[in-house]
Amino acid sequence: QVQLQESGPGLVKPSETLSLTCTVSGYSISSGYYWGWIRQPPGKGLEWIGSIYHSGSTYYNPSLKSRVTISVDTSKNQFSLKLSSVTAADTAVYYCVFPPDYWGQGTLVTVSS
Amino acid sequence: DIVMTQTPLSLSVTPGQPASISCKSSQSLLHSDGKTYLYWYLQKPGQPPQLLIYEVSNRFSGVPDRFSGSGSGTDFTLKISRVEAEDVGVYYCMQSIQLPWTFGQGTKVEIK
C-alpha cells in the first residue's frame, strides 16, 4: 500500500521560503513515473503546483514557476517542495501526490508574521 | 491553460435519488495515445481528494458501482445512480493531458 506523508513547518513568515517534504512508504520513489504537489487555499479549490518525473525533469505551474523548486532524494525515498518569497496568498493545505490516485493527508501552511 | 468548468456548483439530493455533474474542458482531452485524461475526485470534509474515476469511465479500486463516468472530447459527466449519505462532499474533475494540470471549481453535494 503506497502511503505519502507531508512534513514541514506549519507557519512561515512573509517573504521567506516554504519547505515541505513528502515521505513515501510502500513504494520505491525511483520506480514512480512522476510525483507532484497540489495545494488548496482554505475553503477554495485545487491548484497543481508542479511535478517531478523519474528522469529528474520538473514541470511547474507557470503561475508559480519563478518561485518553485521540486526535488527528489531517492536515498530517503522522499521528494520536496520549496516555494520562495511567500505571501498570505500562499496559505493553503499542501498535498504531495503520486498521481492520479495516491495523495498525502495534506499539511496546512500559514503565511503570517 | 485548459479551463475546466463544472456545473452545477452545488447539488442537494434526496437519498436514493440520482445525481449528475457536468465537466466541460476548453480543449479536447483526447490524447494521441487514444486515452482521454479526465479524472473525477471526491473530497470529503477534512480529507484529501479521493480518486473515483480515471480516464473518463474507469472506476478506481473500491469505488462503488453507483458511480459512473462518461463523455468524450470536451464534455464529461459523473453520475451517481442512487446517492447515499456517505457521498457528501465536493466533487472535482481534473485534466492531465496538458501541463499545468487543472481542476474544475468543484461541485458541493449535500443530502436533503
PDB file of all heavy atoms in Angstrom, chain A residues 73-112:
ATOM      1  N   ASP A  73      14.899  12.924  -3.297  1.00  0.00           N
ATOM      2  CA  ASP A  73      16.021  12.276  -2.602  1.00  0.00           C
ATOM      3  C   ASP A  73      15.703  10.785  -2.567  1.00  0.00           C
ATOM      4  O   ASP A  73      14.974  10.315  -1.689  1.00  0.00           O
ATOM      5  CB  ASP A  73      16.169  12.847  -1.198  1.00  0.00           C
ATOM      6  CG  ASP A  73      17.402  12.311  -0.472  1.00  0.00           C
ATOM      7  OD1 ASP A  73      17.910  11.227  -0.874  1.00  0.00           O
ATOM      8  OD2 ASP A  73      17.855  12.946   0.484  1.00  0.00           O
ATOM      9  N   THR A  74      16.230  10.056  -3.538  1.00  0.00           N
ATOM     10  CA  THR A  74      15.897   8.637  -3.627  1.00  0.00           C
ATOM     11  C   THR A  74      16.448   7.842  -2.449  1.00  0.00           C
ATOM     12  O   THR A  74      15.868   6.832  -2.058  1.00  0.00           O
ATOM     13  CB  THR A  74      16.415   8.040  -4.944  1.00  0.00           C
ATOM     14  OG1 THR A  74      17.827   8.300  -5.056  1.00  0.00           O
ATOM     15  CG2 THR A  74      15.686   8.644  -6.138  1.00  0.00           C
ATOM     16  N   SER A  75      17.543   8.314  -1.853  1.00  0.00           N
ATOM     17  CA  SER A  75      18.131   7.583  -0.725  1.00  0.00           C
ATOM     18  C   SER A  75      17.213   7.582   0.488  1.00  0.00           C
ATOM     19  O   SER A  75      17.248   6.663   1.306  1.00  0.00           O
ATOM     20  CB  SER A  75      19.484   8.173  -0.362  1.00  0.00           C
ATOM     21  OG  SER A  75      19.345   9.475   0.172  1.00  0.00           O
ATOM     22  N   LYS A  76      16.384   8.619   0.584  1.00  0.00           N
ATOM     23  CA  LYS A  76      15.442   8.714   1.716  1.00  0.00           C
ATOM     24  C   LYS A  76      14.013   8.393   1.291  1.00  0.00           C
ATOM     25  O   LYS A  76      13.099   8.450   2.119  1.00  0.00           O
ATOM     26  CB  LYS A  76      15.493  10.121   2.313  1.00  0.00           C
ATOM     27  CG  LYS A  76      16.827  10.476   2.954  1.00  0.00           C
ATOM     28  CD  LYS A  76      16.774  11.878   3.550  1.00  0.00           C
ATOM     29  CE  LYS A  76      18.101  12.237   4.212  1.00  0.00           C
ATOM     30  NZ  LYS A  76      18.084  13.616   4.775  1.00  0.00           N
ATOM     31  N   ASN A  77      13.844   8.102   0.019  1.00  0.00           N
ATOM     32  CA  ASN A  77      12.505   7.863  -0.541  1.00  0.00           C
ATOM     33  C   ASN A  77      11.580   9.060  -0.274  1.00  0.00           C
ATOM     34  O   ASN A  77      10.437   8.902   0.189  1.00  0.00           O
ATOM     35  CB  ASN A  77      11.875   6.570  -0.003  1.00  0.00           C
ATOM     36  CG  ASN A  77      11.153   5.794  -1.092  1.00  0.00           C
ATOM     37  OD1 ASN A  77      11.616   5.713  -2.238  1.00  0.00           O
ATOM     38  ND2 ASN A  77      10.020   5.208  -0.763  1.00  0.00           N
ATOM     39  N   GLN A  78      12.093  10.232  -0.546  1.00  0.00           N
ATOM     40  CA  GLN A  78      11.366  11.471  -0.294  1.00  0.00           C
ATOM     41  C   GLN A  78      11.449  12.399  -1.506  1.00  0.00           C
ATOM     42  O   GLN A  78      12.392  12.316  -2.299  1.00  0.00           O
ATOM     43  CB  GLN A  78      11.969  12.225   0.908  1.00  0.00           C
ATOM     44  CG  GLN A  78      11.865  11.507   2.225  1.00  0.00           C
ATOM     45  CD  GLN A  78      12.584  12.264   3.340  1.00  0.00           C
ATOM     46  OE1 GLN A  78      13.540  13.023   3.084  1.00  0.00           O
ATOM     47  NE2 GLN A  78      12.132  12.082   4.566  1.00  0.00           N
ATOM     48  N   PHE A  79      10.470  13.278  -1.613  1.00  0.00           N
ATOM     49  CA  PHE A  79      10.600  14.387  -2.540  1.00  0.00           C
ATOM     50  C   PHE A  79      10.150  15.650  -1.814  1.00  0.00           C
ATOM     51  O   PHE A  79       9.422  15.588  -0.813  1.00  0.00           O
ATOM     52  CB  PHE A  79       9.877  14.162  -3.866  1.00  0.00           C
ATOM     53  CG  PHE A  79       8.383  13.986  -3.788  1.00  0.00           C
ATOM     54  CD1 PHE A  79       7.530  15.015  -4.154  1.00  0.00           C
ATOM     55  CD2 PHE A  79       7.819  12.775  -3.400  1.00  0.00           C
ATOM     56  CE1 PHE A  79       6.159  14.854  -4.125  1.00  0.00           C
ATOM     57  CE2 PHE A  79       6.447  12.596  -3.357  1.00  0.00           C
ATOM     58  CZ  PHE A  79       5.610  13.632  -3.719  1.00  0.00           C
ATOM     59  N   SER A  80      10.618  16.792  -2.305  1.00  0.00           N
ATOM     60  CA  SER A  80      10.465  18.034  -1.550  1.00  0.00           C
ATOM     61  C   SER A  80       9.941  19.167  -2.413  1.00  0.00           C
ATOM     62  O   SER A  80      10.063  19.162  -3.634  1.00  0.00           O
ATOM     63  CB  SER A  80      11.809  18.440  -0.946  1.00  0.00           C
ATOM     64  OG  SER A  80      12.273  17.449  -0.061  1.00  0.00           O
ATOM     65  N   LEU A  81       9.376  20.139  -1.726  1.00  0.00           N
ATOM     66  CA  LEU A  81       8.861  21.351  -2.346  1.00  0.00           C
ATOM     67  C   LEU A  81       9.475  22.549  -1.653  1.00  0.00           C
ATOM     68  O   LEU A  81       9.521  22.600  -0.414  1.00  0.00           O
ATOM     69  CB  LEU A  81       7.328  21.419  -2.208  1.00  0.00           C
ATOM     70  CG  LEU A  81       6.669  22.753  -2.556  1.00  0.00           C
ATOM     71  CD1 LEU A  81       6.715  23.001  -4.062  1.00  0.00           C
ATOM     72  CD2 LEU A  81       5.214  22.781  -2.048  1.00  0.00           C
ATOM     73  N   LYS A  82       9.949  23.477  -2.435  1.00  0.00           N
ATOM     74  CA  LYS A  82      10.365  24.773  -1.903  1.00  0.00           C
ATOM     75  C   LYS A  82       9.642  25.855  -2.685  1.00  0.00           C
ATOM     76  O   LYS A  82       9.626  25.838  -3.922  1.00  0.00           O
ATOM     77  CB  LYS A  82      11.886  24.961  -2.010  1.00  0.00           C
ATOM     78  CG  LYS A  82      12.684  24.057  -1.091  1.00  0.00           C
ATOM     79  CD  LYS A  82      14.159  24.403  -1.097  1.00  0.00           C
ATOM     80  CE  LYS A  82      14.977  23.433  -0.282  1.00  0.00           C
ATOM     81  NZ  LYS A  82      14.567  23.378   1.142  1.00  0.00           N
ATOM     82  N   LEU A  83       9.040  26.789  -1.953  1.00  0.00           N
ATOM     83  CA  LEU A  83       8.333  27.915  -2.545  1.00  0.00           C
ATOM     84  C   LEU A  83       8.868  29.181  -1.893  1.00  0.00           C
ATOM     85  O   LEU A  83       8.713  29.365  -0.685  1.00  0.00           O
ATOM     86  CB  LEU A  83       6.821  27.773  -2.323  1.00  0.00           C
ATOM     87  CG  LEU A  83       5.936  28.869  -2.914  1.00  0.00           C
ATOM     88  CD1 LEU A  83       5.999  28.844  -4.437  1.00  0.00           C
ATOM     89  CD2 LEU A  83       4.492  28.718  -2.437  1.00  0.00           C
ATOM     90  N   SER A  84       9.500  29.996  -2.691  1.00  0.00           N
ATOM     91  CA  SER A  84      10.177  31.173  -2.140  1.00  0.00           C
ATOM     92  C   SER A  84       9.276  32.403  -2.138  1.00  0.00           C
ATOM     93  O   SER A  84       8.219  32.434  -2.781  1.00  0.00           O
ATOM     94  CB  SER A  84      11.445  31.464  -2.956  1.00  0.00           C
ATOM     95  OG  SER A  84      11.097  31.800  -4.292  1.00  0.00           O
ATOM     96  N   SER A  85       9.722  33.399  -1.402  1.00  0.00           N
ATOM     97  CA  SER A  85       9.048  34.712  -1.364  1.00  0.00           C
ATOM     98  C   SER A  85       7.552  34.587  -1.132  1.00  0.00           C
ATOM     99  O   SER A  85       6.740  35.161  -1.873  1.00  0.00           O
ATOM    100  CB  SER A  85       9.326  35.479  -2.670  1.00  0.00           C
ATOM    101  OG  SER A  85      10.699  35.591  -2.912  1.00  0.00           O
ATOM    102  N   VAL A  86       7.184  33.853  -0.112  1.00  0.00           N
ATOM    103  CA  VAL A  86       5.768  33.582   0.128  1.00  0.00           C
ATOM    104  C   VAL A  86       5.034  34.817   0.639  1.00  0.00           C
ATOM    105  O   VAL A  86       5.614  35.709   1.269  1.00  0.00           O
ATOM    106  CB  VAL A  86       5.568  32.412   1.100  1.00  0.00           C
ATOM    107  CG1 VAL A  86       6.141  31.124   0.507  1.00  0.00           C
ATOM    108  CG2 VAL A  86       6.186  32.712   2.466  1.00  0.00           C
ATOM    109  N   THR A  87       3.745  34.831   0.332  1.00  0.00           N
ATOM    110  CA  THR A  87       2.841  35.864   0.842  1.00  0.00           C
ATOM    111  C   THR A  87       1.627  35.161   1.444  1.00  0.00           C
ATOM    112  O   THR A  87       1.510  33.933   1.377  1.00  0.00           O
ATOM    113  CB  THR A  87       2.372  36.802  -0.281  1.00  0.00           C
ATOM    114  OG1 THR A  87       1.502  36.078  -1.161  1.00  0.00           O
ATOM    115  CG2 THR A  87       3.545  37.374  -1.065  1.00  0.00           C
ATOM    116  N   ALA A  88       0.709  35.947   1.976  1.00  0.00           N
ATOM    117  CA  ALA A  88      -0.502  35.381   2.574  1.00  0.00           C
ATOM    118  C   ALA A  88      -1.284  34.548   1.561  1.00  0.00           C
ATOM    119  O   ALA A  88      -1.992  33.601   1.925  1.00  0.00           O
ATOM    120  CB  ALA A  88      -1.371  36.491   3.144  1.00  0.00           C
ATOM    121  N   ALA A  89      -1.154  34.877   0.289  1.00  0.00           N
ATOM    122  CA  ALA A  89      -1.860  34.138  -0.760  1.00  0.00           C
ATOM    123  C   ALA A  89      -1.360  32.702  -0.913  1.00  0.00           C
ATOM    124  O   ALA A  89      -2.017  31.882  -1.560  1.00  0.00           O
ATOM    125  CB  ALA A  89      -1.719  34.873  -2.093  1.00  0.00           C
ATOM    126  N   ASP A  90      -0.228  32.403  -0.318  1.00  0.00           N
ATOM    127  CA  ASP A  90       0.315  31.041  -0.368  1.00  0.00           C
ATOM    128  C   ASP A  90      -0.163  30.179   0.795  1.00  0.00           C
ATOM    129  O   ASP A  90       0.196  29.000   0.891  1.00  0.00           O
ATOM    130  CB  ASP A  90       1.844  31.072  -0.396  1.00  0.00           C
ATOM    131  CG  ASP A  90       2.389  31.737  -1.652  1.00  0.00           C
ATOM    132  OD1 ASP A  90       1.950  31.349  -2.758  1.00  0.00           O
ATOM    133  OD2 ASP A  90       3.232  32.650  -1.518  1.00  0.00           O
ATOM    134  N   THR A  91      -0.964  30.760   1.676  1.00  0.00           N
ATOM    135  CA  THR A  91      -1.560  29.985   2.761  1.00  0.00           C
ATOM    136  C   THR A  91      -2.496  28.942   2.169  1.00  0.00           C
ATOM    137  O   THR A  91      -3.421  29.278   1.427  1.00  0.00           O
ATOM    138  CB  THR A  91      -2.336  30.896   3.727  1.00  0.00           C
ATOM    139  OG1 THR A  91      -1.415  31.757   4.399  1.00  0.00           O
ATOM    140  CG2 THR A  91      -3.105  30.062   4.753  1.00  0.00           C
ATOM    141  N   ALA A  92      -2.241  27.685   2.495  1.00  0.00           N
ATOM    142  CA  ALA A  92      -3.020  26.604   1.884  1.00  0.00           C
ATOM    143  C   ALA A  92      -2.685  25.279   2.558  1.00  0.00           C
ATOM    144  O   ALA A  92      -1.707  25.167   3.289  1.00  0.00           O
ATOM    145  CB  ALA A  92      -2.694  26.496   0.391  1.00  0.00           C
ATOM    146  N   VAL A  93      -3.518  24.289   2.280  1.00  0.00           N
ATOM    147  CA  VAL A  93      -3.156  22.910   2.581  1.00  0.00           C
ATOM    148  C   VAL A  93      -2.360  22.400   1.385  1.00  0.00           C
ATOM    149  O   VAL A  93      -2.808  22.521   0.238  1.00  0.00           O
ATOM    150  CB  VAL A  93      -4.402  22.039   2.798  1.00  0.00           C
ATOM    151  CG1 VAL A  93      -3.992  20.567   2.977  1.00  0.00           C
ATOM    152  CG2 VAL A  93      -5.186  22.521   4.017  1.00  0.00           C
ATOM    153  N   TYR A  94      -1.192  21.873   1.658  1.00  0.00           N
ATOM    154  CA  TYR A  94      -0.310  21.373   0.611  1.00  0.00           C
ATOM    155  C   TYR A  94      -0.345  19.845   0.629  1.00  0.00           C
ATOM    156  O   TYR A  94      -0.138  19.227   1.681  1.00  0.00           O
ATOM    157  CB  TYR A  94       1.112  21.878   0.821  1.00  0.00           C
ATOM    158  CG  TYR A  94       1.262  23.344   0.461  1.00  0.00           C
ATOM    159  CD1 TYR A  94       0.783  24.341   1.317  1.00  0.00           C
ATOM    160  CD2 TYR A  94       1.837  23.741  -0.739  1.00  0.00           C
ATOM    161  CE1 TYR A  94       0.885  25.683   0.979  1.00  0.00           C
ATOM    162  CE2 TYR A  94       1.952  25.082  -1.090  1.00  0.00           C
ATOM    163  CZ  TYR A  94       1.470  26.046  -0.226  1.00  0.00           C
ATOM    164  OH  TYR A  94       1.558  27.384  -0.571  1.00  0.00           O
ATOM    165  N   TYR A  95      -0.625  19.271  -0.539  1.00  0.00           N
ATOM    166  CA  TYR A  95      -0.689  17.820  -0.684  1.00  0.00           C
ATOM    167  C   TYR A  95       0.452  17.334  -1.572  1.00  0.00           C
ATOM    168  O   TYR A  95       0.712  17.919  -2.631  1.00  0.00           O
ATOM    169  CB  TYR A  95      -1.984  17.397  -1.362  1.00  0.00           C
ATOM    170  CG  TYR A  95      -3.257  17.697  -0.636  1.00  0.00           C
ATOM    171  CD1 TYR A  95      -4.056  18.794  -0.968  1.00  0.00           C
ATOM    172  CD2 TYR A  95      -3.703  16.870   0.405  1.00  0.00           C
ATOM    173  CE1 TYR A  95      -5.247  19.058  -0.303  1.00  0.00           C
ATOM    174  CE2 TYR A  95      -4.888  17.131   1.069  1.00  0.00           C
ATOM    175  CZ  TYR A  95      -5.653  18.221   0.710  1.00  0.00           C
ATOM    176  OH  TYR A  95      -6.835  18.478   1.368  1.00  0.00           O
ATOM    177  N   CYS A  96       1.114  16.264  -1.140  1.00  0.00           N
ATOM    178  CA  CYS A  96       2.010  15.587  -2.073  1.00  0.00           C
ATOM    179  C   CYS A  96       1.220  14.444  -2.692  1.00  0.00           C
ATOM    180  O   CYS A  96       0.353  13.851  -2.032  1.00  0.00           O
ATOM    181  CB  CYS A  96       3.291  15.108  -1.395  1.00  0.00           C
ATOM    182  SG  CYS A  96       3.128  13.988   0.013  1.00  0.00           S
ATOM    183  N   VAL A  97       1.499  14.170  -3.942  1.00  0.00           N
ATOM    184  CA  VAL A  97       0.697  13.187  -4.669  1.00  0.00           C
ATOM    185  C   VAL A  97       1.552  12.274  -5.523  1.00  0.00           C
ATOM    186  O   VAL A  97       2.635  12.664  -6.006  1.00  0.00           O
ATOM    187  CB  VAL A  97      -0.352  13.885  -5.572  1.00  0.00           C
ATOM    188  CG1 VAL A  97      -1.307  14.720  -4.761  1.00  0.00           C
ATOM    189  CG2 VAL A  97       0.317  14.711  -6.652  1.00  0.00           C
ATOM    190  N   PHE A  98       1.065  11.063  -5.692  1.00  0.00           N
ATOM    191  CA  PHE A  98       1.584  10.107  -6.667  1.00  0.00           C
ATOM    192  C   PHE A  98       0.404   9.921  -7.613  1.00  0.00           C
ATOM    193  O   PHE A  98      -0.449   9.066  -7.376  1.00  0.00           O
ATOM    194  CB  PHE A  98       1.976   8.814  -5.978  1.00  0.00           C
ATOM    195  CG  PHE A  98       2.528   7.749  -6.894  1.00  0.00           C
ATOM    196  CD1 PHE A  98       3.081   8.052  -8.124  1.00  0.00           C
ATOM    197  CD2 PHE A  98       2.500   6.417  -6.501  1.00  0.00           C
ATOM    198  CE1 PHE A  98       3.600   7.062  -8.953  1.00  0.00           C
ATOM    199  CE2 PHE A  98       3.022   5.412  -7.324  1.00  0.00           C
ATOM    200  CZ  PHE A  98       3.564   5.739  -8.540  1.00  0.00           C
ATOM    201  N   PRO A  99       0.344  10.788  -8.592  1.00  0.00           N
ATOM    202  CA  PRO A  99      -0.882  10.893  -9.370  1.00  0.00           C
ATOM    203  C   PRO A  99      -1.185   9.666 -10.213  1.00  0.00           C
ATOM    204  O   PRO A  99      -0.267   8.955 -10.628  1.00  0.00           O
ATOM    205  CB  PRO A  99      -0.633  12.134 -10.250  1.00  0.00           C
ATOM    206  CG  PRO A  99       0.830  12.336 -10.264  1.00  0.00           C
ATOM    207  CD  PRO A  99       1.392  11.713  -9.036  1.00  0.00           C
ATOM    208  N   PRO A 100      -2.458   9.420 -10.479  1.00  0.00           N
ATOM    209  CA  PRO A 100      -3.564  10.262 -10.033  1.00  0.00           C
ATOM    210  C   PRO A 100      -4.220   9.789  -8.749  1.00  0.00           C
ATOM    211  O   PRO A 100      -5.113  10.469  -8.235  1.00  0.00           O
ATOM    212  CB  PRO A 100      -4.564  10.111 -11.191  1.00  0.00           C
ATOM    213  CG  PRO A 100      -4.398   8.684 -11.614  1.00  0.00           C
ATOM    214  CD  PRO A 100      -2.913   8.397 -11.471  1.00  0.00           C
ATOM    215  N   ASP A 101      -3.775   8.637  -8.197  1.00  0.00           N
ATOM    216  CA  ASP A 101      -4.582   8.030  -7.140  1.00  0.00           C
ATOM    217  C   ASP A 101      -4.106   8.188  -5.709  1.00  0.00           C
ATOM    218  O   ASP A 101      -4.912   8.068  -4.795  1.00  0.00           O
ATOM    219  CB  ASP A 101      -4.806   6.549  -7.454  1.00  0.00           C
ATOM    220  CG  ASP A 101      -3.563   5.866  -8.011  1.00  0.00           C
ATOM    221  OD1 ASP A 101      -2.590   6.556  -8.364  1.00  0.00           O
ATOM    222  OD2 ASP A 101      -3.580   4.620  -8.108  1.00  0.00           O
ATOM    223  N   TYR A 102      -2.833   8.425  -5.487  1.00  0.00           N
ATOM    224  CA  TYR A 102      -2.350   8.469  -4.103  1.00  0.00           C
ATOM    225  C   TYR A 102      -2.027   9.902  -3.676  1.00  0.00           C
ATOM    226  O   TYR A 102      -1.249  10.599  -4.326  1.00  0.00           O
ATOM    227  CB  TYR A 102      -1.106   7.586  -3.950  1.00  0.00           C
ATOM    228  CG  TYR A 102      -1.411   6.121  -4.138  1.00  0.00           C
ATOM    229  CD1 TYR A 102      -1.045   5.459  -5.313  1.00  0.00           C
ATOM    230  CD2 TYR A 102      -2.073   5.388  -3.155  1.00  0.00           C
ATOM    231  CE1 TYR A 102      -1.335   4.115  -5.503  1.00  0.00           C
ATOM    232  CE2 TYR A 102      -2.361   4.042  -3.330  1.00  0.00           C
ATOM    233  CZ  TYR A 102      -1.997   3.418  -4.500  1.00  0.00           C
ATOM    234  OH  TYR A 102      -2.296   2.092  -4.690  1.00  0.00           O
ATOM    235  N   TRP A 103      -2.639  10.299  -2.570  1.00  0.00           N
ATOM    236  CA  TRP A 103      -2.449  11.627  -2.010  1.00  0.00           C
ATOM    237  C   TRP A 103      -2.026  11.501  -0.547  1.00  0.00           C
ATOM    238  O   TRP A 103      -2.505  10.605   0.163  1.00  0.00           O
ATOM    239  CB  TRP A 103      -3.749  12.427  -2.049  1.00  0.00           C
ATOM    240  CG  TRP A 103      -4.268  12.773  -3.412  1.00  0.00           C
ATOM    241  CD1 TRP A 103      -4.537  11.903  -4.434  1.00  0.00           C
ATOM    242  CD2 TRP A 103      -4.622  14.066  -3.887  1.00  0.00           C
ATOM    243  NE1 TRP A 103      -5.024  12.595  -5.522  1.00  0.00           N
ATOM    244  CE2 TRP A 103      -5.100  13.919  -5.209  1.00  0.00           C
ATOM    245  CE3 TRP A 103      -4.593  15.346  -3.340  1.00  0.00           C
ATOM    246  CZ2 TRP A 103      -5.532  14.999  -5.989  1.00  0.00           C
ATOM    247  CZ3 TRP A 103      -5.030  16.423  -4.103  1.00  0.00           C
ATOM    248  CH2 TRP A 103      -5.489  16.252  -5.418  1.00  0.00           C
ATOM    249  N   GLY A 104      -1.193  12.441  -0.090  1.00  0.00           N
ATOM    250  CA  GLY A 104      -0.940  12.544   1.331  1.00  0.00           C
ATOM    251  C   GLY A 104      -2.156  13.149   2.012  1.00  0.00           C
ATOM    252  O   GLY A 104      -3.100  13.593   1.351  1.00  0.00           O
ATOM    253  N   GLN A 105      -2.134  13.170   3.331  1.00  0.00           N
ATOM    254  CA  GLN A 105      -3.251  13.750   4.087  1.00  0.00           C
ATOM    255  C   GLN A 105      -3.294  15.268   3.985  1.00  0.00           C
ATOM    256  O   GLN A 105      -4.332  15.879   4.251  1.00  0.00           O
ATOM    257  CB  GLN A 105      -3.164  13.325   5.548  1.00  0.00           C
ATOM    258  CG  GLN A 105      -3.596  11.896   5.794  1.00  0.00           C
ATOM    259  CD  GLN A 105      -5.034  11.644   5.384  1.00  0.00           C
ATOM    260  OE1 GLN A 105      -5.960  12.327   5.814  1.00  0.00           O
ATOM    261  NE2 GLN A 105      -5.253  10.660   4.509  1.00  0.00           N
ATOM    262  N   GLY A 106      -2.179  15.847   3.598  1.00  0.00           N
ATOM    263  CA  GLY A 106      -2.119  17.296   3.468  1.00  0.00           C
ATOM    264  C   GLY A 106      -1.603  17.949   4.736  1.00  0.00           C
ATOM    265  O   GLY A 106      -1.811  17.442   5.848  1.00  0.00           O
ATOM    266  N   THR A 107      -0.928  19.067   4.556  1.00  0.00           N
ATOM    267  CA  THR A 107      -0.444  19.836   5.692  1.00  0.00           C
ATOM    268  C   THR A 107      -0.770  21.305   5.465  1.00  0.00           C
ATOM    269  O   THR A 107      -0.535  21.849   4.382  1.00  0.00           O
ATOM    270  CB  THR A 107       1.070  19.625   5.900  1.00  0.00           C
ATOM    271  OG1 THR A 107       1.487  20.264   7.104  1.00  0.00           O
ATOM    272  CG2 THR A 107       1.904  20.167   4.747  1.00  0.00           C
ATOM    273  N   LEU A 108      -1.330  21.933   6.484  1.00  0.00           N
ATOM    274  CA  LEU A 108      -1.688  23.347   6.387  1.00  0.00           C
ATOM    275  C   LEU A 108      -0.455  24.209   6.649  1.00  0.00           C
ATOM    276  O   LEU A 108       0.202  24.057   7.677  1.00  0.00           O
ATOM    277  CB  LEU A 108      -2.784  23.700   7.391  1.00  0.00           C
ATOM    278  CG  LEU A 108      -3.153  25.186   7.497  1.00  0.00           C
ATOM    279  CD1 LEU A 108      -3.725  25.692   6.175  1.00  0.00           C
ATOM    280  CD2 LEU A 108      -4.133  25.425   8.642  1.00  0.00           C
ATOM    281  N   VAL A 109      -0.176  25.067   5.702  1.00  0.00           N
ATOM    282  CA  VAL A 109       0.904  26.038   5.875  1.00  0.00           C
ATOM    283  C   VAL A 109       0.288  27.429   5.875  1.00  0.00           C
ATOM    284  O   VAL A 109      -0.395  27.821   4.924  1.00  0.00           O
ATOM    285  CB  VAL A 109       1.961  25.922   4.764  1.00  0.00           C
ATOM    286  CG1 VAL A 109       3.047  26.965   4.973  1.00  0.00           C
ATOM    287  CG2 VAL A 109       2.561  24.519   4.740  1.00  0.00           C
ATOM    288  N   THR A 110       0.524  28.142   6.946  1.00  0.00           N
ATOM    289  CA  THR A 110       0.021  29.505   7.094  1.00  0.00           C
ATOM    290  C   THR A 110       1.167  30.482   6.938  1.00  0.00           C
ATOM    291  O   THR A 110       2.226  30.304   7.543  1.00  0.00           O
ATOM    292  CB  THR A 110      -0.640  29.699   8.457  1.00  0.00           C
ATOM    293  OG1 THR A 110      -1.710  28.750   8.609  1.00  0.00           O
ATOM    294  CG2 THR A 110      -1.196  31.102   8.613  1.00  0.00           C
ATOM    295  N   VAL A 111       0.958  31.481   6.115  1.00  0.00           N
ATOM    296  CA  VAL A 111       1.973  32.523   5.936  1.00  0.00           C
ATOM    297  C   VAL A 111       1.523  33.739   6.729  1.00  0.00           C
ATOM    298  O   VAL A 111       0.490  34.365   6.417  1.00  0.00           O
ATOM    299  CB  VAL A 111       2.159  32.892   4.456  1.00  0.00           C
ATOM    300  CG1 VAL A 111       3.194  34.007   4.323  1.00  0.00           C
ATOM    301  CG2 VAL A 111       2.589  31.664   3.666  1.00  0.00           C
ATOM    302  N   SER A 112       2.265  34.034   7.750  1.00  0.00           N
ATOM    303  CA  SER A 112       1.911  35.150   8.630  1.00  0.00           C
ATOM    304  C   SER A 112       3.121  35.556   9.454  1.00  0.00           C
ATOM    305  O   SER A 112       3.964  34.715   9.794  1.00  0.00           O
ATOM    306  CB  SER A 112       0.767  34.741   9.555  1.00  0.00           C
ATOM    307  OG  SER A 112       0.482  35.765  10.497  1.00  0.00           O
TER     308      SER A 112
END
